[in-house]
Amino acid sequence: MVALVLAAALLFPQGGGDASLAADRTTLQVGDSITLTVTVRAPEVGPIDIDEPQFAGFDVVERRDRSQVSVGTGVRTSRRDLVLRATDPGDFSMGPFRARVGGTVLLTNAVRVTVAAAARPDEMLSPRVLALLANAAPVGSDSGPRVEVAVLRSSDSVRMGDQIDLLVTAWFPRDTRTRLRAPPSLLPPDIRGAWGYSQPTPAAVVATREIGGRAYDLFVRHEVVFPLTPGDLEVGPAKVTYSLPISGSFLSREVRHEEQSAPFLIRVAPNAGTGIDRVVVGRDLTIDLTLNTTVLALGDAAHLTISLTGWGNVALWPEPHLEWPVGLQVFQERSSVTVSATDGILGGTKRFEYLVVADSSGMHRLPATTYEYFDLDRDTFVTVAANPVVIETPETARRAAPLRAAPPLLADTWILQVPSTLQTIAPWFWIVIFAVPPLLAGVARVRVRRARTSDSQTRVAAQPSALARLEDELRRVLEQLVPGADGGSERRLADALVAAGIEPVLASHTSRVRERLRQARYGPDVQSDTGELSAEVAAVVSGLQGHRRGNARVPV
């Protein structure tokens, strides 16, 4: 006991203890969080009470208290972590905090914090979304405030391949929104027969309305879709999920809630002169052809890239038809898509890359590459073309073959000594030579019989690797036709293939074969007939490649 008192006297000469304040950062933006840690160390003479100052410009999100006592020194250390969310910009002084230890009052230091103004959430939204929000407001109800979910659309009737903006809105009553510990989750509606792109939206409140004396806060989610076929496009219900605590305690259990919107239809009109399989639709498309070199030696390769740039559904623009000259071997490498938006209008660039190898000398002329599409602004078909390219392969420009020295001649002394050596071998040696192999063959036959079971298991174990090769081959062909669609559902893959110009029967068969291949590889049944499945995959791949080559240029 005396030792503990002496240790406490050495640590705290004045007998009261000490207190300090620390922050995990001192600069932040409105909406960001900061953690303050108050540490009080004092002799173990009683409880430690911490008084908090007012936090102007901040909301208290969480408090955590913890305490420990050192057995060797008898010192009690109490810590309080405060998580605060900045609500107003400016310079603030956090602290000092006041701590009471018995009859002693301790003061912490103060921490200066700078809060910068954050960008307004509505500044992140495109003009098309702001136009939808201009007249948006909750309906309100006399029965009491409730969360309302709706889907706003840019138009009730569009043409096939044109852009539709869908905005999922979730209106939260103010008293309900302030109880949220995490932002709500907004799920887009289920849409079939359209290609969709999710757009970035802020997770914070983007607008506020007052209806019937009640304040409502708005959360949104933005989706852009392109209809693939004419007719009625069914837009399913959108959902919002959120959790509310049962009580005001930070340890209170949360209850999950879910609301959803009503479904509706959008009329999709066909474009003039287009068939149902014609989806090369856009605005202001341009085509560009680039080659890293125009002079190739025999056997050398060049990289050729064709870029399609414009506005519309970039992912489903098909590959242009190219007339390759004799004397060049061409290998398609990959295709890539870059999507961008300007003032809410989606567009971008789709690139097709090829490896070109010269296998004969001369002047190889690649004619002007043309691309035909339906322009929505002009309401007619438009053809764009890239400049022709000439690749020169001079007769003297050959790849230099590495020179190798001829191997040395074999010495002939050992060959001359072979006959005399054979004459010195004893007769029993020849008996061993002709008798031992049959015995070894019999032993091997027995081992083969014993190994049949393990060999069968080995073939079964090797089946997944064969299925993996089949799946990789099918994925490669699908990625060239519809990039990104391979990861979707069976129905979505079939729709995307039809939109890319594939016959509906072949598209449906392709999606079914892909599902069978996945079930064979990842399902519980590993005894699938790999030979039959391989034949079906080969037939599908051949059909897709042949159809793509035959329909690279879609007829008017």
Side-chain angles (χ1 to χ4, degrees):
M1 185 65 178
V2 175
L4 294 178
V5 173
L6 292 176
L10 292 176
L11 290 173
F12 311 109
Q14 298 180 356
D18 60 49
S20 62
L21 173 65
D24 61 341
R25 54 177 172 169
T26 56
T27 58
L28 62 158
Q29 288 185 342
V30 173
D32 294 342
S33 297
I34 183 175
T35 301
L36 301 178
T37 302
V38 182
T39 304
V40 181
R41 301 170 66 247
E44 189 181 1
V45 296
I48 298 176
D49 297 326
I50 300 176
D51 296 334
E52 299 176 1
Q54 296 294 325
F55 301 109
F58 291 84
D59 288 337
V60 179
V61 178
E62 185 180 0
R63 288 184 181 88
R64 296 188 298 268
D65 290 322
R66 58 189 187 276
S67 180
Q68 64 182 13
V69 177
S70 176
V71 178
T73 60
V75 176
R76 177 192 297 273
T77 301
S78 294
R79 290 184 176 87
R80 173 172 294 179
D81 293 330
L82 286 168
V83 180
L84 309 178
R85 182 184 295 116
T87 58
D88 300 318
D91 294 329
F92 302 91
S93 177
M94 314 302 291
F97 286 70
R98 186 186 300 269
R100 301 180 183 274
V101 183
T104 305
V105 177
L106 303 175
L107 295 178
T108 68
N109 57 299
V111 175
R112 301 291 300 182
V113 176
T114 301
V115 180
R120 290 174 18 190
D122 56 358
E123 294 178 355
M124 301 175 57
L125 302 177
S126 68
R128 294 170 65 93
V129 174
L130 293 177
L132 292 175
L133 290 178
N135 299 320
V139 177
S141 175
D142 295 335
S143 61
R146 60 185 179 85
V147 177
E148 298 182 8
V149 185
V151 179
L152 308 180
R153 58 268 198 190
S154 57
S155 177
D156 291 327
S157 177
V158 297
R159 288 182 295 176
M160 185 180 66
D162 204 354
Q163 176 176 331
I164 305 174
D165 291 272
L166 299 178
L167 189 67
V168 182
T169 61
W171 292 97
F172 279 76
R174 180 66 56 82
D175 56 350
T176 302
R177 197 270 302 171
T178 55
R179 294 173 57 195
L180 296 175
R181 295 178 178 176
S185 298
L186 278 68
L187 303 178
D190 182 23
I191 306 175
R192 294 186 177 183
W195 192 275
Y197 298 87
S198 295
Q199 300 301 299
T201 51
V205 174
V206 299
T208 299
R209 300 284 190 275
E210 187 171 339
I211 303 295
R214 298 191 182 101
Y216 288 82
D217 296 325
L218 175 64
F219 296 88
V220 299
R221 174 168 182 154
H222 185 202
E223 299 286 326
V224 173
V225 297
F226 294 88
L228 302 178
T229 57
D232 289 333
L233 179 65
E234 182 178 354
V235 180
K239 298 180 182 179
V240 58
T241 59
Y242 58 96
S243 298
L244 295 176
I246 297 178
S247 65
S249 173
F250 285 102
L251 301 178
S252 173
R253 184 171 61 89
E254 294 184 349
V255 178
R256 185 175 180 272
H257 300 268
E258 180 179 295
E259 303 289 343
Q260 65 180 18
S261 64
F264 57 90
L265 299 176
I266 295 178
R267 179 63 181 172
V268 180
N271 296 317
T274 61
I276 193 172
D277 59 343
R278 183 64 179 268
V279 292
V280 187
V281 180
R283 291 182 173 89
D284 298 331
L285 264 66
T286 60
I287 184 170
D288 182 50
L289 189 148
T290 58
L291 193 64
N292 64 338
T293 180
T294 58
V295 179
L296 284 180
L298 287 176
D300 281 350
H303 291 276
L304 185 144
T305 302
I306 297 179
S307 302
L308 294 173
T309 304
W311 308 101
N313 192 1
V314 185
L316 290 189
W317 289 343
E319 176 186 2
H321 177 69
L322 300 175
E323 296 290 346
W324 298 106
V326 177
L328 295 179
Q329 295 291 332
V330 181
F331 306 91
Q332 186 174 9
E333 291 187 295
R334 65 187 182 97
S335 60
S336 60
V337 174
T338 302
V339 179
S340 60
T342 303
D343 294 334
I345 304 297
L346 252 65
T349 302
K350 188 169 186 178
R351 296 178 178 85
F352 302 90
E353 300 180 12
Y354 305 87
L355 189 68
V356 181
V357 180
D359 61 1
S360 64
S361 59
M363 304 294 290
H364 311 294
R365 181 180 178 85
L366 181 61
T369 303
T370 60
Y371 198 77
E372 189 178 35
Y373 71 100
F374 185 86
D375 195 293
L376 292 170
D377 289 337
R378 305 178 189 180
D379 198 23
T380 185
F381 290 101
V382 177
T383 300
V384 293
N387 295 328
V389 174
V390 177
I391 300 176
E392 180 183 1
T393 304
E395 181 67 28
T396 57
R398 297 179 179 273
R399 177 180 294 177
L403 297 178
R404 297 182 180 179
L409 297 176
L410 297 177
D412 57 355
T413 54
W414 66 275
I415 297 178
L416 298 177
Q417 296 177 359
V418 169
S420 59
T421 303
L422 292 177
Q423 295 177 0
T424 60
I425 296 178
W428 61 266
F429 177 79
W430 299 108
I431 297 175
V432 172
I433 288 296
F434 290 103
V436 170
L439 295 177
L440 296 178
V443 174
R445 188 179 297 108
V446 174
R447 292 184 176 181
V448 168
R449 292 177 179 175
R450 294 178 179 177
R452 283 181 178 176
T453 303
S454 61
D455 183 58
S456 176
Q457 296 175 352
T458 302
R459 288 194 302 269
V460 172
Q463 185 174 352
S465 62
L467 297 177
R469 290 193 297 271
L470 295 177
E471 186 178 11
D472 291 341
E473 181 180 2
L474 183 58
R475 184 187 297 111
R476 177 181 58 80
V477 176
L478 292 177
E479 188 68 22
Q480 294 176 358
L481 291 171
V482 284
D486 179 61
S489 62
E490 181 177 351
R491 177 64 178 271
R492 182 177 178 184
L493 176 60
D495 290 342
L497 288 174
V498 171
I502 303 300
E503 293 294 336
V505 176
L506 179 57
S508 300
H509 183 63
T510 301
S511 62
R512 290 194 299 269
V513 169
R514 187 196 65 169
E515 293 304 317
R516 286 187 53 201
L517 183 58
R518 289 182 173 178
Q519 180 65 26
R521 186 179 179 190
Y522 304 109
D525 183 14
V526 299
Q527 302 292 335
S528 302
D529 190 348
T530 307
E532 179 183 354
L533 195 55
S534 176
E536 285 207 40
V537 172
V540 166
V541 169
S542 177
L544 293 177
Q545 293 177 340
H547 191 280
R548 184 181 54 146
R549 289 193 296 270
N551 294 273
R553 179 171 181 172
V554 182
V556 178

